[in-house]
């Protein structure tokens, strides 16, 4: 089983365990909303544009609500579990390249929104995959950072991003934790953050990610 499919299966199991009303780290979304988002992303490409493009967000939200009404929570969870669907299942390598990161982040969105949680120890090859994705995408992920950012991977590796000619903040952690940090989960990523007090505060509040 690929890591993408393993994360999908684990998240689906967690959806079942927690039910539709559990919190997530996606602001304003319950597990029901997140399940609908994942189904929309794979199975409704006509509405997926609003995930990243604000003028289209209204249509995306309406389709997401219609999916909830049509399938119910249990139905959506089974659609998530049965994937990858759409282009992610048709194009060779697409599931691994895109969904490994997507489902890891959303799995952690659910795990870390609960009262008790601990970070997972990830397989070495998955850590390496995430580090390569952090390095390749750091300028995109950190483009809205008001300060410079130096990412230090535990085990080796440094990557720079954020604003140039600005105070720098050092962020140290495993590749998985750095990925979560770069995707706007700063307060829930298990990392060490050091730098000037104001610069750190600005980075922690910045809307990072795609």
């Amino acid at each position: 089983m690929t890591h993408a499919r393993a994360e999908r299966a684990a998240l689906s199991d967690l959806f079942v365990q927690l039910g539709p009303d559990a919190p997530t780290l996606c602001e304003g979304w319950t597990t029901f909303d997140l399940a609908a988002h994942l189904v929309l992303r794979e199975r409704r490409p006509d509405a997926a544009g609003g995930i990243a493009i604000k003028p289209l967000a209204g249509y995306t939200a309406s389709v997401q609500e219609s999916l909830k009404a049509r399938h119910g929570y249990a139905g959506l969870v089974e659609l998530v579990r049965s994937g990858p669907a759409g282009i992610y299942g048709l194009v060779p390598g697409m599931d691994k390249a895109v969904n490994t990161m997507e489902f890891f982040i959303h799995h952690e969105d659910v795990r870390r929104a609960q009262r008790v949680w601990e970070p997972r120890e990830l397989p070495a090859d998955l850590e390496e995959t995430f580090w390569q994705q952090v390095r390749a995408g750091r300028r995109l992920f950190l483009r809205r950072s008001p300060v410079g950012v130096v990412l230090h991977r535990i085990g080796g590796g440094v990557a720079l991003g954020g604003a140039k000619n600005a105070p720098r903040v050092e962020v140290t952690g495993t590749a998985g934790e750095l990925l979560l940090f770069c995707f706007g989960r700063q307060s829930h990523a298990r990392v060490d953050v050091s730098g000037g007090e104001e610069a750190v505060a600005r980075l922690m509040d910045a809307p990072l990610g795609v």
Side-chain angles (χ1 to χ4, degrees):
M1 179 181 289
T2 65
H3 290 301
R5 291 176 182 267
E7 290 296 316
R8 180 190 294 272
L11 176 55
S12 298
D13 289 344
L14 190 55
F15 278 151
V16 172
Q17 176 187 334
L18 294 176
D21 300 319
T24 76
L25 298 187
C26 302
E27 186 175 357
W29 280 6
T30 64
T31 42
F32 200 171
D33 298 309
L34 181 53
H37 160 79
L38 291 170
V39 171
L40 179 149
R41 173 180 168 273
E42 288 194 330
R43 298 171 185 267
R44 288 295 304 270
D46 61 302
I51 295 171
I53 303 171
K54 288 186 178 180
L56 303 178
Y59 176 61
T60 298
S62 69
V63 172
Q64 186 165 304
E65 288 301 311
S66 72
L67 288 170
K68 291 168 65 179
R70 177 181 178 186
H71 296 285
Y73 184 68
L76 289 173
V77 171
E78 285 309 305
L79 288 173
V80 172
R81 189 188 298 278
S82 67
I87 189 173
Y88 301 98
L90 292 173
V91 178
M94 187 77 160
D95 184 48
K96 178 180 178 181
V98 180
N99 282 339
T100 304
M101 182 169 61
E102 177 82 10
F103 277 86
F104 167 75
I105 290 172
H106 285 316
H107 187 191
E108 293 302 318
D109 282 338
V110 178
R111 291 185 70 251
R112 299 182 188 214
Q114 309 314 308
R115 187 174 60 85
V116 178
W117 64 273
E118 288 295 332
R120 293 179 288 157
E121 183 174 348
L122 302 179
D125 64 322
L126 184 56
E127 276 282 306
E128 183 60 32
T129 294
F130 287 155
W131 177 240
Q132 295 305 319
Q133 290 176 320
V134 167
R135 289 187 61 194
R138 67 190 187 278
R139 291 187 176 87
L140 173 64
F141 306 154
L142 299 170
R143 71 190 184 281
R144 290 189 291 266
S145 171
V147 299
V149 182
V150 184
L151 302 171
H152 297 275
R153 178 195 179 190
I154 293 174
V158 178
L160 306 179
K164 296 180 180 179
N165 303 317
R168 282 189 173 182
V169 174
E170 312 273 334
V171 183
T172 303
T174 64
E177 298 300 317
L178 292 174
L179 181 69
L180 290 167
F181 187 94
C182 289
F183 266 79
R185 280 71 172 176
Q186 294 100 303
S187 62
H188 290 86
R190 289 286 179 87
V191 295
D192 291 324
V193 183
S194 61
E197 183 177 347
E198 181 181 354
V200 169
R202 293 179 70 194
L203 177 60
M204 295 300 289
D205 288 338
L208 306 182
V210 296

